[in-house]
Each structure stands twice: as C-alpha cells, then as structure tokens.
C-alpha cells in the first residue's frame, strides 16, 4: 500500500510569491492534516480536512489556506510568502480522525515539502 | 509555556544501552499519547500510541504514560545505530471530531557503535 505522497519535495520561492503544495493520502484515508515543522517551533498544526470540509484550524494567518478534493487529495496554499514561512510542510492522513470513543486511526505522515523563501 | 515539553537533546548513547525519552504536558484534557520517530529528510513515522496510563510494549520499545503527573516516556532497549533519529512525543484531545496533535519539539538521539 502506497504511503502519503507529497509533491514537490523541494521548493525555492521569493518573498511575496505564492506557493501550492500537494498531498495524496493513503488509499482509503479520508482525513488529511497539514503541519509546519521548523527547528525552533517544532511541528505545528495548520489545518485538517475531512470529506472536503475543513474540520480544524491552527493558529496561522489567513495567508495559509487549503482544500480537499473528492478523491481526498489535498492542496495547501501560502500567499504573499515571508522569510519566516521557510519550513518543512508535512501532510498526514488517517482513516477517519477522532470522533468516537475508540481511537484507532493514527496519523501517517508523508516526507514533506521543504520550502525555502529567499 | 508550550503545552508539551520535551528535552531537545542531543542524546548520545553507546550501542546496546537502554534509552529513556521523556515528555511532560500541561493540559489534563489530553487523552491519547503517541511517539513518532523521524529520520533526517523523512516524515515522522508512528512508533506507538496509547490511550490509558500504564505501559505498552512493542518489541524493543515501551511507552509509558502517567496521567497523574502528566508525564510520558519511551524506553528503547538494546539500542541500535539504526535507532538514531529524532523522537517526537505527541498528544491528542478527543473532541467532537477532528485530528489535531500537539507535538513536543523532539529529542535527537544518536546511538554510537
């Protein structure tokens, strides 16, 4: 079974530009989450999508947005890039996400997209 | 103050040693606890997750949760050079729906020959 696939693996952008990152979840997984990883802050939650609806959102500015398609694939967009947006962006998928008493749907991560803003 | 605190290391041990990795958390609402391993240039890989206080064992790995003191641990027995990686603890609240993990900043482990 293929894992979570993120494209591209590396991106270099200039301040002020925008960028779109793509994520294909594990087959059958309906929940897709996005995290930002930096050396100083570690992994921080951006947002989660489930059945094409944003279900959770972290404390990031509105420049960060995302969407999910009917096949569960997801994209994340960052507009007006800033130097501080340089990070590893990780996508994770799970079967359903938590919503019942039994949690048996852990997150599985992709290898990330390394974004460098110059 | 971060909701999940983790010593960043780096931690260097000889091959065969027992490794103890620890996290503390502040929010008593956290109910699920996970350990992820992250190799360089890779995404985090789930090692173990547990819901209740107590121990959970999987091969050379043992996860321990003490909800009364808000303390979670990962023990690695007979450590190998291939265990060299960053280890991340994570916690989760059972809300009405949704996945939102809160991570520690990770402990960098090096197992030396």
């Amino acid at each position: 079974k293929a894992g979570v696939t993120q494209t591209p693996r590396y991106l270099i952008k200039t301040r002020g530009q925008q960028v779109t990152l793509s994520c294909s979840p594990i087959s059958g997984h309906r929940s897709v989450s996005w995290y930002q990883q930096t050396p100083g802050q570690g992994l921080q939650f951006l947002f989660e999508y489930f059945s094409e609806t944003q279900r959770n959102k972290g404390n990031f500015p509105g420049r960060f947005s995302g969407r999910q398609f009917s096949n569960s694939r997801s994209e994340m967009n960052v507009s007006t890039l800033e130097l501080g947006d340089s990070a590893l962006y990780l996508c994770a998928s799970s079967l359903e996400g938590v919503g019942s008493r039994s949690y048996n749907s852990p997150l599985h991560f992709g290898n990330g997209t390394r974004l460098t803003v110059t | 103050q971060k909701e999940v605190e983790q010593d960043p290391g780096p931690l260097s041990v000889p091959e065969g040693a027992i490794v103890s990795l620890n996290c503390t958390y502040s929010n008593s609402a956290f109910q699920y606890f996970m350990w992820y391993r992250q190799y360089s240039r890779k995404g985090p890989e789930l090692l173990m997750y547990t819901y209740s206080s107590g121990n959970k064992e999987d091969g050379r790995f043992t996860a321990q949760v003490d909800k009364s003191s808000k303390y979670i641990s990962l023990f690695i027995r007979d450590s190998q050079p291939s265990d060299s990686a960053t280890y991340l603890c994570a916690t989760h609240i059972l809300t009405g729906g949704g996945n939102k993990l809160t991570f520690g900043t990770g402990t960098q482990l090096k197992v030396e020959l």
Side-chain angles (χ1 to χ4, degrees):
Chain A
K1 203 174 194 182
V4 177
T5 304
Q6 291 188 247
T7 56
R9 285 298 310 275
Y10 302 93
L11 264 178
I12 300 175
K13 290 286 188 179
T14 303
R15 220 170 15 173
Q17 289 186 313
Q18 76 163 15
V19 67
T20 299
L21 313 181
S22 181
C23 172
S24 293
I26 292 172
S27 178
H29 284 194
R30 296 194 293 163
S31 167
V32 174
S33 303
W34 289 88
Y35 287 80
Q36 181 195 66
Q37 187 175 31
T38 58
Q41 297 297 317
L43 273 134
Q44 293 187 285
F45 174 77
L46 280 156
F47 29 65
E48 183 210 3
Y49 287 87
F50 182 80
S51 293
E52 301 178 66
T53 301
Q54 188 180 86
R55 188 159 63 173
N56 269 312
K57 191 177 189 307
N59 296 323
F60 279 81
R63 301 185 295 106
F64 292 82
S65 63
R67 59 177 176 168
Q68 186 181 33
F69 302 96
S70 58
N71 61 358
S72 293
R73 193 177 69 84
S74 178
E75 286 182 349
M76 185 194 126
N77 185 274
V78 188
S79 62
T80 320
L81 284 166
E82 300 177 0
L83 295 178
D85 297 333
S86 294
L88 180 66
Y89 289 88
L90 291 159
C91 170
S93 74
S94 67
L95 267 173
E96 294 206 12
V98 179
S100 64
R101 292 184 180 279
S102 63
Y103 183 72
N104 58 2
S105 182
L107 292 184
H108 297 271
F109 284 86
N111 286 326
T113 294
R114 172 76 60 184
L115 172 65
T116 302
V117 182
T118 62
Chain B
Q1 185 189 2
K2 287 183 178 294
E3 287 189 287
V4 179
E5 298 278 0
Q6 185 174 9
D7 187 336
L11 179 63
S12 184
V13 301
E15 183 180 8
I18 296 175
V19 177
S20 172
L21 303 167
N22 308 295
C23 290
T24 58
Y25 62 94
S26 56
N27 190 342
S28 58
F30 287 135
Q31 294 168 294
Y32 294 98
F33 306 91
M34 284 137 270
W35 283 96
Y36 282 84
R37 175 175 63 194
Q38 186 174 22
Y39 291 113
S40 180
R41 297 188 186 88
K42 296 285 189 179
E45 166 196 14
L46 179 67
L47 278 176
M48 303 181 70
Y49 71 92
T50 183
Y51 172 68
S52 58
S53 282
N55 293 352
K56 183 175 181 180
E57 193 172 314
D58 184 1
R60 297 186 294 112
F61 298 90
T62 299
Q64 191 175 78
V65 176
D66 183 346
K67 288 187 177 180
S68 63
S69 57
K70 300 189 184 68
Y71 198 82
I72 55 180
S73 301
L74 178 71
F75 298 96
I76 307 173
R77 290 184 299 280
D78 187 25
S79 56
Q80 304 294 310
S82 59
D83 294 328
S84 298
T86 297
Y87 289 80
L88 299 149
C89 61
T91 64
H92 181 82
I93 299 174
L94 178 63
T95 63
N99 269 316
K100 180 187 173 185
L101 297 186
T102 301
F103 282 86
T105 50
T107 300
Q108 190 177 350
L109 171 68
K110 185 172 184 180
V111 181
E112 305 198 72
L113 289 167

